[in-house]
Amino acid sequence: MAFTEQQEALVKQSWEIMKLNIPELSLKFFSTILEIAPAAKGMFSFLKDSDQVPQNNPRLKAHAVKVFKMTCESAVQLREKGEVVVAENTLRNLGSVHLKKGVIDPHFGVVKEALLRTIKDAMGPQWSDEMGIAWGEAYDHLATAIKSEMKGEE
Ligand code: HEM
Ligand code: ISQ
């Protein structure tokens, strides 16, 4: 089914609200990933010398924000062109970083679940199932692009 203007609006509007509280959002997103997949702890450099999720790590924040932003951009592209195209150099970098860190296909489902739970939590009463579906679709297209880059299928 085509990605609608209404779906794009749901993603963009909720991102505008969520980005007002990046410290909490990024922490919640990252903590939820580790809650669902504790084994992923070893992959992230933010946790190198501690068991605790760092409360104010600029790199953690920047990466988490990038995931949200890229997913939001994917929603715009899906509505505009019906597909997601990531700039070639960006995609190559993301492919190689994730390969090097040992990320595998099932991890993308973990990050999706964490992303959706984080949005639901952040939006509270403004959350809707339609909002979750829109973010989920945008994420799936982006994840597909990264996964195929990781497999050398570009
Ligand atoms: C790093 C985005 C999925 C684990 C990054 C970075 C970005 C990013 C922008 C920083 C890249 C850099 O340093 O140049 C995304 C997006 C994803 C995704 C958009 C899905 C659509 C995943 C998944 C995992 C994962 C499924 C596995 C749990 C990591 C790790 C790093 C990383 C371990 C390195 C962090 C560090 O510096 O220690 N990701 N990612 N990512 N990502 Fe992802
Ligand atoms: C990197 N890749 C995917 C998800 C992330 C969440 C928080 C910080 C970094 C991330």
Side-chain angles (χ1 to χ4, degrees), residues 16-58:
E16 287 303 314
I17 294 169
M18 289 188 285
K19 76 182 182 193
L20 300 174
N21 194 359
I22 297 296
E24 201 180 310
L25 188 78
S26 54
L27 205 60
K28 166 86 187 174
F29 183 28
F30 188 59
S31 307
T32 308
I33 293 174
L34 300 187
E35 201 180 295
I36 302 173
K41 270 187 183 149
M43 298 198 298
F44 290 91
S45 61
F46 323 121
L47 287 169
K48 266 226 167 82
D49 301 308
S50 92
D51 290 339
Q52 301 265 319
V53 176
Q55 298 294 303
N56 194 19
N57 182 313

Side-chain angles (χ1 to χ4, degrees), residues 6-7 9-20 116-135:
Q6 144 95 1
Q7 288 182 299
L10 282 169
V11 171
K12 282 166 82 172
Q13 287 160 5
S14 52
W15 170 239
E16 287 303 314
I17 294 169
M18 289 188 285
K19 76 182 182 193
L20 300 174
L116 293 177
R117 277 197 215 170
T118 303
I119 298 166
K120 186 169 184 174
D121 190 66
M123 295 306 293
Q126 296 181 78
W127 160 270
S128 64
D129 288 342
E130 291 72 30
M131 184 181 285
I133 290 166
W135 275 96

Side-chain angles (χ1 to χ4, degrees), residues 33 40 43-46 59 63 66-67 70 93-94 97-98 101 103 107-108 111 139 142-143 146:
I33 293 174
M43 298 198 298
F44 290 91
S45 61
F46 323 121
R59 288 201 309 125
H63 287 187
K66 195 131 184 231
V67 178
M70 288 188 74
N93 175 255
L94 284 181
V97 167
H98 290 97
K101 295 287 180 174
V103 175
H107 291 141
F108 283 87
V111 170
Y139 175 88
L142 178 59
I146 298 173

Side-chain angles (χ1 to χ4, degrees), residues 51-102:
D51 290 339
Q52 301 265 319
V53 176
Q55 298 294 303
N56 194 19
N57 182 313
R59 288 201 309 125
L60 192 166
K61 267 189 275 188
H63 287 187
V65 166
K66 195 131 184 231
V67 178
F68 273 91
K69 272 198 181 144
M70 288 188 74
T71 308
C72 197
E73 280 160 15
S74 295
V76 176
Q77 292 187 2
L78 270 180
R79 201 264 309 151
E80 278 176 357
K81 326 189 242 211
E83 61 173 335
V84 170
V85 181
V86 186
E88 202 188 325
N89 49 347
T90 306
L91 196 56
R92 212 178 304 130
N93 175 255
L94 284 181
S96 81
V97 167
H98 290 97
L99 260 184
K100 208 165 58 193
K101 295 287 180 174

